[in-house]
Amino acid sequence: MAVKAQVLYDFTAEPGTNELSVKEGQTITVTSQSIGGGWIEAQNSRGETGLVPEDYIEFSQSYPPLPTANAAPTPAAANVGSSDLAFFDAYAPASTPAQTQASNGNDPWSSWNTDPSGGSSNNWASNPEGTQTASSAVGEPWASHGHPQAYQGPGADDDEWDDEWDDMKSTTGYAESEPGDGGGLQRSGTHATSMKISLNKFPGFSKSGPELYLLSKPVPKGKDKLPIYMGEVGPVWHYPEAALDCVVADPKKGSKMYGLKSYIEYQVTPSTTNRPVNHRYKHFDWLYERLLDKFGSAIPIPCLPDKQVTGRFEEEFIKMRMERLQGWMSRMCRHPVISCSEVFQLFLTYKDEKDWKMGKRKAEKDETVGVMIFTTVEPEAKELDLSEVELKCEQFSRFSKSMDDQVKEILTVGHEHWKRCTGPLPKEYQRIGKAFQNLSAVFNSSGYEGESTLTDAMTAAGKTYEEIAEMVAEQPKKDLHFLMETNNEYKGLLGCFPETIGVHKAAIDKVKEADKLVGASKITSQDKVTMAKRASTMSYALQAEMNHFHSNRIYDYNRVMQQYLEEQVKFYETIAAKLRHAHSQFTTM
């Protein structure tokens, strides 16, 4: 049954997504609340249908919201009685819309952003990944029966796994797009935004907000502890002695149901075991969801590369997706917390199908998710001054916003330059080369016998410019591509930070209200002390994450700029050598 809702805030849909733009005060009809991820499907007065953030609407009083499958309480909530949290409602400030995880999918420079008809590539539900007729599978460049040298992995014969995903995504009519295949991890995206962090995860004073951790009963100490140390730059995570890395390679096309369902699977080989395991895209998607659920409150988890409607089995697309999955996995491997987590290690090192299924079920039953991840954080130093932490957070927020703006500027400029290098610029060089050769042909027709040296040299010069045209067209793939990919990754990563910082800010706001609550006998003085101590723990985690981001940023941009400039030097040196050779063909008079 459709219900009416009032729009609380303006929301502008990102181009190429299934989102619906709405205005404050507008009345919309909610057609589905089973989308998940903090989104609902709605229809406006013009009959346009799309996704709208759940936090941006308020259901009309006469139309209560529909029950959803996600209404079950978080398992970790068992640590807090409902009465422990009810008093917060009276002190709840006016809620503000949470920010969505940034979209990577509409990168202006990606050739995979739209389908050939000009439509968006995000609504893949009409042709879910893995469905294809048997006849269309013939002659695919990646066709194979799988990797003989590696365990075939979950999905090769696991009908429950495949059907569960395919049916779920095709019945909703919408795919939560992911950043990257289209031009940036938007998935979207990231970046079209794919797999956005739930907008409704920490709104106002909901029972799943930071108070769930701030006032939870003491949690039994377990083995999964995340120590934080004071380094030269401030709080830092504990980094493992041996750095983890993995290689995503060797894509192969597999099929099931007698060839009616096709898919691409990739070999993932971790540096710790050198034993390859196979994974399909949906397995990466599962990993992303698990990491987001478990660590998303403390650690920004960038989105995966986006899904693709058309051309999913084309060689160039597969190569691009593999490269972006490699980038995503490498970034996860470099994170000291994620790389050592049980679910990530399962993904890299499961032994067989039984091992995978057991690990998968265990991960999905994990109760230390959401803000309860902070119960595992153990700072080594004394409590932090929350006012100083707030200043650092504001500084980082300003920095990340400015960096995000400049990253997008580089992507825009890079896109324009790429188009020039593959379009008008080579044509200009070709025209110059052709003009020289045409003039040489005219000189040849003069009948004068003493100019063959000149005409040969002019013809060679013309051909040189044609060769330069080819070099110009190919050069962006050798240098600009890697610069764009790095900025595209950071575009998605920067889009995750507002959500993580928002969780921390909400916790500090709760601590500031503690005196009021003590005065109203809503909490005890000891509760106030506990809240401050736990907010300090959250502050340590946030600062450790900010420092991790900065160290990676310095490393990544130092590396990619060196690579870009080295390729540029080679490019111009090669052009200079060709021009010098053409110059030497002319006689010095």
Side-chain angles (χ1 to χ4, degrees):
M1 179 183 70
V3 296
K4 300 290 185 181
Q6 192 84 2
V7 178
L8 301 177
Y9 313 100
D10 290 349
F11 174 73
T12 303
E14 296 205 18
T17 70
N18 294 322
E19 298 168 356
L20 176 68
S21 295
V22 292
K23 295 291 185 182
E24 180 180 353
Q26 181 179 354
T27 299
I28 58 176
T29 302
V30 177
T31 55
S32 174
Q33 293 187 66
S34 61
I35 303 301
W39 297 83
I40 55 95
E41 179 187 289
Q43 186 179 71
N44 61 20
S45 58
R46 296 187 298 275
E48 299 168 338
T49 303
L51 302 185
V52 177
E54 192 173 3
D55 261 6
Y56 282 50
I57 67 167
E58 181 178 56
F59 289 96
S60 301
Q61 295 298 325
S62 56
Y63 296 97
L66 297 171
T68 67
N70 299 324
T74 306
N79 291 311
V80 187
S82 58
S83 59
D84 294 335
L85 301 175
F87 66 84
F88 276 108
D89 297 335
Y91 294 88
S95 60
T96 57
Q99 298 190 36
T100 61
Q101 188 159 323
S103 161
N104 304 349
N106 297 309
D107 290 2
W109 54 279
S110 172
S111 60
W112 296 102
N113 202 36
T114 54
D115 62 27
S117 63
S120 167
S121 65
N122 297 313
N123 188 7
W124 57 274
S126 59
N127 182 18
E129 178 175 337
T131 54
Q132 186 184 34
T133 61
S135 60
S136 65
V138 177
E140 293 290 349
W142 302 89
S144 170
H145 293 294
H147 298 282
Q149 69 274 35
Y151 169 57
Q152 293 302 302
D157 298 303
D158 190 351
D159 289 341
E160 176 188 358
W161 173 275
D162 293 322
D163 294 340
E164 172 190 343
W165 278 76
D166 292 338
D167 293 345
M168 176 186 70
K169 296 204 173 185
S170 60
T171 53
T172 61
Y174 291 92
E176 294 188 70
S177 45
E178 302 137 53
D181 290 348
L185 266 168
Q186 260 115 16
R187 256 167 56 15
S188 6
T190 228
H191 259 248
T193 345
S194 163
M195 295 302 172
K196 301 178 179 179
I197 289 182
S198 171
L199 291 174
N200 199 31
K201 190 174 284 187
F202 311 109
F205 284 80
S206 71
K207 299 302 182 284
S208 60
E211 66 272 18
L212 183 66
Y213 163 64
L214 294 177
L215 286 174
S216 65
K217 295 180 174 65
V219 178
K221 291 189 175 293
K223 63 176 182 178
D224 296 328
K225 290 301 174 184
L226 306 178
I228 295 179
Y229 303 96
M230 292 301 294
E232 295 179 1
V233 296
V236 292
W237 297 111
H238 173 70
Y239 285 79
E241 294 182 5
L244 175 65
D245 199 4
C246 72
V247 176
V248 181
D250 202 13
K252 290 288 190 297
K253 185 176 179 182
S255 63
K256 54 182 289 186
M257 296 177 63
Y258 303 100
L260 292 176
K261 297 185 104 176
S262 301
Y263 54 84
I264 299 295
E265 64 180 7
Y266 306 85
Q267 265 195 4
V268 182
T269 307
S271 58
T272 50
T273 64
N274 286 321
R275 185 180 68 86
V277 294
N278 290 348
H279 282 296
R280 294 169 55 182
Y281 178 88
K282 60 177 58 178
H283 304 156
F284 287 93
D285 204 28
W286 176 87
L287 174 64
Y288 165 76
E289 289 284 5
R290 299 280 68 75
L291 294 177
L292 189 64
D293 285 347
K294 186 168 181 65
F295 299 111
S297 298
I299 299 171
I301 309 294
C303 292
L304 282 174
D306 206 353
K307 282 191 177 292
Q308 181 81 1
V309 183
T310 59
R312 288 176 295 114
F313 300 108
E314 293 177 3
E315 184 173 355
E316 282 301 314
F317 171 73
I318 293 171
K319 181 180 178 182
M320 176 65 77
R321 167 172 280 183
M322 182 176 69
E323 181 180 348
R324 288 177 173 166
L325 287 175
Q326 175 70 73
W328 190 84
M329 287 296 293
S330 294
R331 192 160 296 281
M332 296 299 99
C333 284
R334 285 162 57 185
H335 197 287
V337 174
I338 292 174
S339 63
C340 295
S341 66
E342 191 171 0
V343 64
F344 194 72
Q345 287 294 321
L346 167 73
F347 188 82
L348 292 176
T349 62
Y350 68 90
K351 298 180 178 61
D352 50 34
E353 187 171 345
K354 180 180 178 182
D355 189 32
W356 168 262
K357 285 187 174 181
M358 290 179 62
K360 175 177 175 288
R361 293 191 183 101
K362 181 179 179 181
E364 290 169 349
K365 292 179 180 178
D366 189 356
E367 294 187 356
T368 311
V369 296
V371 291
M372 297 309 289
I373 190 62
F374 293 109
T375 62
T376 66
V377 176
E378 290 189 339
E380 69 163 5
K382 61 181 182 180
E383 289 183 33
L384 296 171
D385 184 334
L386 296 185
S387 60
E388 292 182 5
V389 174
E390 276 192 292
L391 293 176
K392 290 182 179 180
C393 287
E394 290 174 4
Q395 180 185 18
F396 185 85
S397 294
R398 290 192 299 270
F399 166 81
S400 60
K401 176 63 171 65
S402 298
M403 181 178 173
D404 186 52
D405 291 341
Q406 291 309 306
V407 162
K408 291 174 181 175
E409 175 69 12
I410 287 181
L411 289 173
T412 300
V413 171
H415 168 52
E416 294 171 354
H417 181 64
W418 193 302
K419 287 198 298 185
R420 285 192 70 241
C421 288
T422 56
L425 201 53
K427 291 179 181 178
E428 291 176 15
Y429 282 110
Q430 288 171 348
R431 289 179 63 191
I432 293 172
K434 187 60 67 178
F436 285 155
Q437 292 178 73
N438 290 340
L439 182 59
S440 174
V442 171
F443 286 174
N444 259 332
S445 67
S446 70
Y448 185 70
E449 296 184 359
E451 63 179 350
S452 60
T453 301
L454 172 62
T455 55
D456 290 347
M458 289 190 69
T459 300
K463 291 181 178 179
T464 296
Y465 274 91
E466 290 180 339
E467 292 173 2
I468 291 174
E470 294 178 2
M471 290 178 57
V472 169
E474 291 296 317
Q475 187 60 25
K477 298 178 184 177
K478 299 178 181 179
D479 51 27
L480 186 58
H481 169 75
F482 300 103
L483 182 62
M484 297 285 276
E485 283 295 308
T486 297
N487 279 280
N488 196 56
E489 281 189 44
Y490 271 89
K491 176 185 166 188
L493 189 57
L494 287 163
C496 303
F497 264 103
E499 190 80 22
T500 305
I501 294 175
V503 175
H504 179 265
K505 186 177 184 304
I508 291 182
D509 289 343
K510 305 256 186 312
V511 172
K512 289 179 179 179
E513 295 166 7
D515 287 331
K516 285 184 183 179
L517 300 174
V518 171
S521 300
K522 298 294 185 180
I523 63 173
T524 66
S525 298
Q526 183 57 45
D527 289 334
K528 174 185 171 182
V529 173
T530 300
M531 289 174 66
K533 182 177 181 180
R534 292 182 176 179
S536 174
T537 297
M538 295 176 70
S539 298
Y540 270 106
L542 179 59
Q543 290 191 65
E545 194 54 35
M546 292 190 298
N547 289 329
H548 175 76
F549 172 84
H550 283 312
S551 64
N552 275 267
R553 171 180 58 83
I554 292 171
Y555 171 82
D556 287 337
Y557 277 91
N558 186 68
R559 180 197 60 181
V560 76
M561 286 303 300
Q562 281 184 327
Q563 182 180 14
Y564 177 75
L565 293 173
E566 286 170 1
E567 290 297 329
Q568 285 274 289
V569 168
K570 292 178 185 177
F571 172 64
Y572 286 109
E573 283 181 342
T574 303
I575 289 179
K578 288 181 175 294
L579 293 175
R580 275 194 292 267
H581 179 71
H583 174 270
S584 68
Q585 304 301 307
F586 291 87
T587 302
T588 303
M589 304 299 290

